[in-house]
């Protein structure tokens, strides 16, 4: 019989026995697209899940193209190590304009697909948007400045930013990742997690990992702790009566926020992004209970005036 380790037991384990950081798989976007299609039938947002599956497929194809990306330098890595920071700070670090070329490639990939006319209109608007305006939108998304975000365009801009940062992170030597980084932020790009997963198998058995909403890196985070404010005293778990038993919302009364947590022993195919998006009814339940998402889904943004 499996036994769940307590937070104290995990913290006292030999750190060399815990894999701290798990890079995104080369086919991560393809896996995401496949999972979205599996989850789409009979889902309340079936059509949207299928659209995002097309977007994830486009991300995979664009990721396999040849791109010239800026590399982390030794000075930057040393500073991050000495100050206990993430290796990059995606929200504040200047972006190479190659991310906009990735957005263009994404739009071109999608325009070759069968899409609803409103989506085609959004894509054309994006294609005609000035570079300066795209940079402003990108900064607003990465800093979650809701009042400056175009909710209709946001999933596509975010998809390009995910590509840019996931490919940049792939160039990192694992030894460059700082040993200590701020709690609740990706040790590679400094972004917030989209969700967390309790793993199965080998040295990761029953160990929780958060998944970066931007570069899809996973990093170890102890269980029964708020991934937003680090509180341990007021954690509770919520699920839908007829929902997937592998999905729960982990809430915190201290900060009134929540994130979803997936249990891979109950569903080994659960995906941090796809299952988060497909479990929108759980978000509605948490909203009715007056809890707030710690951060948006990268693929679904509400207008600033949404109630």
């Amino acid at each position: 019989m499996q036994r769940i380790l307590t937070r104290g037991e995990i913290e006292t384990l030999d750190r060399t026995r815990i894999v701290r950081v798990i890079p995104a798989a080369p086919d991560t976007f393809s896996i995401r697209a496949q999972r979205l299609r599996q989850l789409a039938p009979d889902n309340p947002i079936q059509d949207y899940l299928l659209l995002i599956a097309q977007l994830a497929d486009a991300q995979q194809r664009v990721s396999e193209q040849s791109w010239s990306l800026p590399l982390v330098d030794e000075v930057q890595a040393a500073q991050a190590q000495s100050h206990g920071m993430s290796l990059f700070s995606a929200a504040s670090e200047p972006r190479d304009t190659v991310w906009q070329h990735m957005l263009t490639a994404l739009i071109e990939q999608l325009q070759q697909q069968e899409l609803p006319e409103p989506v085609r209109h959004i894509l054309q608007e994006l294609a005609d948007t000035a570079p300066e305006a795209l940079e402003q939108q990108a900064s607003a998304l990465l800093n979650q400045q809701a009042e400056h975000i175009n909710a209709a365009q946001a999933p596509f801009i975010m998809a390009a930013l995910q590509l840019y940062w996931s490919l940049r992170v792939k160039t990192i030597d694992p030894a460059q990742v700082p040993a200590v980084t701020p709690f609740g932020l990706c040790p590679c790009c400094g972004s917030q997690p989209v969700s967390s997963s309790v793993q199965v198998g080998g040295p990761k058995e029953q160990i929780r990992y958060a998944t970066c909403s931007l570069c899809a890196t996973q990093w170890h985070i102890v269980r029964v702790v708020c991934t937003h404010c680090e509180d341990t005293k007021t954690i509770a778990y919520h699920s839908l009566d007829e929902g997937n038993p592998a999905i729960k919302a982990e809430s915190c009364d201290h900060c009134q926020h929540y994130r979803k947590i997936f249990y891979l022993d109950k569903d080994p195919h659960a995906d941090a992004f796809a299952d988060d998006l497909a479990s929108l009814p759980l978000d509605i339940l948490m909203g009715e209970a007056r809890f707030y998402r710690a951060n948006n889904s990268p693929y679904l943004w509400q207008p600033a005036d949404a109630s």
Side-chain angles (χ1 to χ4, degrees):
M1 180 181 294
Q2 292 181 342
R3 185 173 70 85
I4 298 175
L5 297 177
T6 66
R7 184 185 184 194
E9 288 175 311
I10 293 174
E11 289 175 331
T12 57
L13 285 175
D14 179 357
R15 292 292 181 177
T16 61
R17 292 174 57 190
I18 297 178
V19 179
R20 180 172 174 248
V21 175
I22 306 173
D27 58 347
T28 186
F29 296 114
S30 179
I31 293 171
R32 196 176 302 170
Q34 182 179 1
R35 180 62 173 173
L36 284 162
R37 291 190 174 95
Q38 290 174 347
L39 295 169
D42 301 321
N43 192 285
I45 56 168
Q46 175 178 338
D47 291 343
Y48 192 69
L49 294 181
L50 294 174
L51 171 62
I52 299 304
Q54 288 179 286
L55 177 56
D57 274 334
Q59 286 178 290
Q60 184 66 44
R61 289 190 291 270
V62 174
S63 74
E64 294 168 356
Q65 298 176 13
S66 179
W67 300 100
S68 178
L69 294 160
L71 304 176
V72 62
D73 58 49
E74 293 183 4
V75 173
Q76 181 180 8
Q79 287 179 338
Q81 287 279 11
S82 62
H83 294 289
M85 303 184 303
S86 300
L87 193 56
F88 299 109
S89 177
S92 59
E93 188 169 310
R95 292 173 292 274
D96 190 288
T97 55
V98 69
W99 85 267
Q100 294 198 20
H101 298 302
M102 292 177 177
L103 176 59
T104 298
L106 275 177
I107 292 171
E108 291 174 349
Q109 288 282 341
L110 288 167
Q111 287 176 331
Q112 298 173 27
Q113 309 300 314
E114 186 174 331
L115 296 170
E117 192 56 38
V119 176
R120 290 194 174 278
H121 179 70
I122 292 168
L123 292 174
Q124 190 57 52
E125 280 187 337
L126 268 176
D128 296 337
T129 300
E132 297 80 5
L134 289 176
E135 289 295 345
Q136 291 172 358
Q137 278 289 299
S139 294
L141 284 166
L142 294 176
N143 289 282
Q144 297 196 63
Q145 298 171 330
E147 67 275 16
H148 300 302
I149 292 173
N150 182 319
Q153 297 179 356
F156 305 102
I157 296 174
M158 195 68 183
L161 293 170
Q162 286 181 322
L163 274 170
Y164 174 76
W165 281 106
S166 63
L167 291 176
R168 284 201 70 182
V169 166
K170 284 181 181 178
T171 68
I172 295 174
D173 180 340
Q176 292 178 305
V177 179
V180 178
T181 51
F183 177 84
L185 297 181
C186 175
C188 294
C189 74
S191 301
Q192 295 187 54
V194 62
S195 60
S196 67
S197 303
V198 177
Q199 304 287 311
V200 290
K204 297 191 291 293
E205 180 71 32
Q206 292 297 308
I207 303 297
R208 177 163 75 154
Y209 286 82
T211 300
C212 179
S213 58
L214 190 61
C215 71
T217 296
Q218 296 181 73
W219 71 96
H220 170 241
I221 188 167
V222 295
R223 295 174 65 173
V224 198
V225 60
C226 176
T227 58
H228 184 67
C229 76
E230 208 173 354
D231 184 69
T232 60
K233 297 179 180 179
T234 61
I235 304 301
Y237 296 89
H238 313 257
S239 59
L240 297 170
D241 291 339
E242 298 180 1
N244 185 342
I247 303 174
K248 295 184 184 296
E250 183 180 65
S251 70
C252 173
D253 283 343
H254 181 261
C255 67
Q256 288 299 117
H257 285 82
Y258 75 94
R259 278 195 177 94
K260 291 172 191 169
I261 180 169
F262 305 115
Y263 298 86
L264 300 189
D265 58 339
K266 293 181 173 63
D267 187 347
H269 301 295
D271 175 81
F273 292 85
D275 285 78
D276 174 52
L277 184 60
S279 55
L280 188 59
L282 183 54
D283 292 288
I284 295 172
L285 174 70
M286 297 307 292
E288 292 173 347
R290 299 187 181 279
F291 287 101
Y292 302 91
R293 274 190 69 111
N295 58 297
N296 287 76
S297 163
Y299 294 118
L300 185 63
W301 298 79
Q302 291 186 327
D305 60 350
S307 56

